[in-house]
Amino acid sequence: MKNDCSVVKDLIPFYAEGLVSIETKEFIDDHCKSCEKCRILLKKLAESPEKQEINDTKKEKIWSEIATKEQKRKKKKYLTLSLTLVILVTLVVLGFIFLPKPLQKIYYENQVTQYDFTFTEQTLAKTGFTENDIHAASEAVNKFFEEHTDDRKLLRLAYDEEETTDENKTVYNPNHADAIVFIGDYYFFDDPVAGDGSRLRTYWRWFVKKDSNGEWKIIDQGVC
């Protein structure tokens, strides 16, 4: 197509003056049916009062004008598409933010909880906990959310190895000693703090410890 344009561009001045063969004329006509640039060039040359004296400079000038208009048209089209995309994304975001409460709840209820219990053997040795301990302790957090399915959904739960092995974690609460620490986030369907039943995704930390009966219990929790 690009090579055909170059050929047609060179032949059009002769076409306009009727100096081409029947075969060449048919070739140019067929090409111009599907090529807007060449069709415009042909029209301009045909309407030019100086067509008998058309030279390469004038031909290139007309071709440049067509290319400039084509670039402007494409730029306008691109800007229109970009603006449309921005508007659509904005509407989607706003629609989700102001999603009716029942629909918002359905959306989060169907989210799959992500778990990450990555650990190193060195920290297990340091704390004395086992892999089974970590999983058993995590069930205490899961149980809490199973008891609160009407107002919150656990979205992510991860073993916080650094906090679990931190000897200074007892600074604010001595009971944190020998506790396994988890971090994560959950979705609160009704936020009592906001007081408007709005959406709230909360990033949280849980301290889980064995009680006197050997059962893992949440002994403390709070915002990360």
Side-chain angles (χ1 to χ4, degrees):
M1 178 67 177
K2 186 175 181 181
N3 292 335
D4 285 351
C5 286
S6 298
V7 174
V8 170
K9 185 172 68 171
D10 291 335
L11 292 175
I12 279 181
F14 302 102
Y15 176 98
E17 295 181 16
L19 300 177
V20 295
S21 65
I22 295 176
E23 292 78 6
T24 301
K25 182 178 183 303
E26 290 177 350
F27 167 73
I28 294 174
D29 288 339
D30 289 340
H31 176 79
C32 288
K33 288 179 182 179
S34 58
C35 180
E36 185 177 3
K37 284 186 178 181
C38 292
R39 186 164 62 249
I40 294 173
L41 176 60
L42 177 61
K43 182 178 180 182
K44 284 184 176 291
L45 292 180
E47 294 174 352
S48 174
E50 305 170 355
K51 64 181 181 180
Q52 292 84 4
E53 300 178 3
I54 291 172
N55 54 35
D56 289 342
T57 301
K58 184 172 180 61
K59 180 180 64 176
E60 290 300 331
K61 181 180 178 181
I62 294 174
W63 189 261
S64 178
E65 290 175 354
I66 295 172
T68 300
K69 289 181 180 180
E70 180 70 12
Q71 289 177 352
K72 289 182 178 179
R73 185 185 67 79
K74 288 183 178 180
K75 184 177 180 181
K76 183 178 180 180
K77 182 179 180 181
Y78 173 77
L79 290 175
T80 301
L81 289 174
S82 298
L83 180 60
T84 302
L85 181 60
V86 170
I87 292 174
L88 288 175
V89 171
T90 302
L91 290 175
V92 170
V93 172
L94 291 176
F96 183 77
I97 292 175
F98 297 103
L99 194 66
K101 187 176 170 183
L103 295 180
Q104 154 220 141
K105 184 175 180 180
I106 292 173
Y107 172 81
Y108 277 102
E109 282 179 337
N110 286 282
Q111 296 300 298
V112 177
T113 304
Q114 302 295 318
Y115 294 97
D116 180 8
F117 299 142
T118 305
F119 60 87
T120 61
E121 296 296 336
Q122 290 86 344
T123 55
L124 290 185
K126 183 177 180 180
T127 60
F129 296 128
T130 65
E131 182 178 356
N132 288 336
D133 287 333
I134 295 172
H135 286 276
S138 71
E139 287 304 313
V141 180
N142 282 325
K143 182 178 179 181
F144 174 82
F145 282 92
E146 288 173 358
E147 295 171 351
H148 294 82
T149 54
D150 291 337
D151 63 351
R152 66 195 79 187
K153 167 70 178 183
L154 179 62
L155 301 175
R156 180 179 64 91
L157 184 65
Y159 169 55
D160 190 342
E161 185 176 53
E162 182 177 355
E163 182 72 13
T164 298
T165 57
D166 187 358
E167 297 176 355
N168 296 318
K169 69 181 177 181
T170 60
V171 171
Y172 298 105
N173 190 333
N175 289 330
H176 289 173
D178 301 324
I180 293 180
V181 186
F182 295 95
I183 57 174
D185 52 288
Y186 67 90
Y187 198 82
F188 216 149
F189 300 120
D190 292 299
D191 176 21
V193 178
D196 59 0
S198 61
R199 302 147 303 280
L200 178 66
R201 185 162 182 164
T202 307
Y203 297 89
W204 213 247
R205 176 176 282 110
W206 295 269
F207 295 83
V208 184
K209 190 174 180 179
K210 275 186 179 181
D211 63 12
S212 57
N213 296 320
E215 295 184 13
W216 291 97
K217 301 286 186 180
I218 297 175
I219 61 167
D220 196 9
Q221 55 181 301
V223 177
C224 286

